[in-house]
Amino acid sequence: GRLTDAARLYVVQRATGDPTATPSLQRTAWKILNGNRDEHVRAAADPTVRRVVTAYILAGGGSFRWSHLKELPERWLDAVEAAKVPIARDADRLAWAAYNTGQMDLAERWVRLAPAQLMARWIRSKLLLRKGKVPEAMAELAIVVRSVPVEDDVPMGHTNFCWEGHQLSLWNEPLPERVRGELGTLKLSRNDYLGALDLFMMGGYWDDAAYVAECVLTPDELIAVVNARWPEREEPKPPVMTRSGWWRRATPNPYIRHLLARRLTRTGRTREARRYFPSKWRPRLDAYVDALRQADDARLDDAERAKHLWRAACITRYEGMELLGTELGPDDFVSGGAFPARTPGWVALPESDAFFTDRRRLLRMTRDQLFRERRHRVTPYQRFHYRYLACERAWRAAEMMPDDSDATARVLCIAGSWMKGRDPLYADRFYKALVLRCRGTELGREADRIRWFPKIAVDRRKLPE
């Protein structure tokens, strides 16, 4: 029952390197927080135990979570005040704990006791944001960003500030990444797009960086910043799973360069795009460009141009994600197209009250940002938009081919089948063309009989290269 003495001894045990001391400290801190007020004050008066219990609160309790008992941190803060001991050393941590429990007035009081400490500056920036003082908050955050290290090997991936429902928690993301994400969000709200992109990249917030690079910056602006900041390096490593989801443990260079390459390809600037593609995709880009070039060659007859146009359509359909796909919506290359497309937005924006005032979002997209986003949207803005592009090229190829031809029927049937499951209304015109133009073929007769596309075996290895 002598919890304070036990905690001190467990700290000594932990200093010897014994890992079993950690769960002992967790259990002891839990019992202290669930004890009576005298136990709270006695533990708060001891410098070592006070830091142990404070760290336990900030860590969310480790294996022994207190999320269902939010009054425990409040009890601890009351005990620290009642202990009446010098606490300047722990003031920033106590401000952190107060902020986590939504006690903003108390957090502000602790911050005043440690104005120069790094954590205190971070908490002050969030308190300033709650008051709507964005420039002052940015100044505080800038100081924190300059004071924390920058890793060369930044983990790039999806980050969720609301992990396990702790909407006000500041512990669930590493400090260097978190503060850069928040300052990047503020810069984005002030139309400082290049500054925001740099901070998102340094903080590992890939979705936010991709949003700025793909939806906000112009292609020329993106080329300039990529050439200056992210030169060509090694190929990306496989992603590694962490508690926050899939994090890409690799330098950000290959990702931002491949994003730029696909964006340039979508706008027809394929010659510039080639240098930014990963080496394994450059031959496929060359094949794609060659097919389009010969399809547009007026010196060739229609049959030859249709052949090259069909080859371009097949490359677009089966390799369009890697050559043309958008990083975020509508194609969602970031997940390999495995999940529904997300609306571009500020992923790094914490859903905490620091960014809201009276339930209204404090930071909003500016008119310039909205204008840029709409101007840079792909057409059509549909999931897997490159498949629509592939179908349009196949349609043009079929227009150059004769009626009642097995080759024409095959092109219409395959191209229509690309979309028959995703967008039947769009695919319907391919079905009608197959029946009307190729009724004399086996595929045309079968389509007329079953009133839809017949099943057709497609071997991608035998499609036009």
Side-chain angles (χ1 to χ4, degrees), residues 272-331:
E272 297 174 83
R274 192 180 192 280
R275 61 176 291 199
Y276 300 104
F277 269 105
S279 56
K280 69 176 183 178
W281 286 108
R282 289 172 185 170
R284 303 310 302 151
L285 175 70
D286 294 339
Y288 172 76
V289 172
D290 180 68
L292 288 179
R293 180 181 58 81
Q294 296 196 61
D296 292 335
D297 191 346
R299 295 172 298 179
L300 300 178
D301 58 34
D302 285 351
E304 192 69 17
R305 291 177 63 189
K307 174 184 175 182
H308 293 297
L309 197 54
W310 173 236
R311 179 160 63 104
C314 291
I315 294 174
T316 304
R317 166 60 182 87
Y318 294 112
E319 296 168 311
M321 179 67 86
E322 293 77 14
L323 297 178
L324 299 160
T326 59
E327 189 73 17
L328 302 178
D331 301 329

Side-chain angles (χ1 to χ4, degrees), residues 17-224:
D18 187 348
T20 65
T22 299
S24 300
L25 278 169
Q26 290 174 324
R27 290 179 183 275
T28 306
W30 171 258
K31 289 184 178 182
I32 288 173
L33 287 170
N34 281 277
N36 55 40
R37 180 175 173 78
D38 292 340
E39 188 67 51
H40 295 166
V41 176
R42 187 160 51 250
D46 187 290
T48 300
V49 180
R50 183 172 67 247
R51 292 179 69 80
V52 167
V53 177
T54 301
Y56 172 83
I57 290 174
L58 295 179
S63 300
F64 305 93
R65 299 212 170 276
W66 46 260
S67 58
H68 61 294
L69 293 174
K70 291 188 65 176
E71 69 273 11
L72 295 186
E74 300 176 25
R75 293 180 197 170
W76 181 241
L77 293 169
D78 292 339
V80 170
E81 286 189 311
K84 297 181 180 179
V85 293
I87 55 162
R89 182 183 177 190
D90 298 333
D92 60 336
R93 299 304 196 270
L94 294 166
W96 186 359
Y99 182 87
N100 281 353
T101 58
Q103 301 181 79
M104 303 305 168
D105 293 337
L106 186 56
E108 192 164 5
R109 194 160 80 241
W110 291 126
V111 163
R112 293 197 196 100
L113 298 176
Q117 293 179 0
L118 197 63
M119 183 58 65
R121 286 188 179 277
W122 188 17
I123 301 301
R124 185 185 297 112
S125 72
K126 303 178 83 60
L127 295 173
L128 288 170
L129 278 176
R130 294 188 72 250
K131 298 176 182 178
K133 299 179 179 180
V134 178
E136 294 88 340
M138 291 180 67
E140 290 288 345
L141 269 178
I143 295 174
V144 179
V145 166
R146 289 194 296 267
S147 303
V148 294
V150 180
E151 297 181 9
D152 293 332
D153 193 15
V154 182
M156 304 297 294
H158 317 292
T159 310
N160 182 9
F161 279 104
C162 302
W163 193 66
E164 294 193 0
H166 290 247
Q167 292 191 349
L168 293 177
S169 179
L170 301 183
W171 66 268
N172 54 346
E173 297 296 335
L175 176 63
E177 288 85 349
R178 180 70 176 262
V179 294
R180 287 180 170 85
E182 291 184 357
L183 185 57
T185 301
L186 292 173
K187 284 184 175 290
L188 185 59
S189 72
R190 293 300 186 267
N191 293 344
D192 184 358
Y193 305 130
L194 296 180
L197 175 62
D198 201 42
L199 285 163
F200 288 146
M201 292 289 284
M202 287 192 294
Y205 293 99
W206 175 244
D207 284 26
D208 296 85
Y211 168 70
V212 176
E214 190 169 66
C215 304
V216 179
L217 294 179
T218 66
D220 291 328
E221 289 172 339
L222 184 56
I223 289 173

Side-chain angles (χ1 to χ4, degrees), residues 68 147 228 256 259 276 307 325 327 346 394 406 409 413 429 462:
H68 61 294
S147 303
I256 190 72
L259 181 152
Y276 300 104
K307 174 184 175 182
E327 189 73 17
W346 296 336
D406 288 336
C413 186
R429 65 168 174 156
K462 295 182 180 179

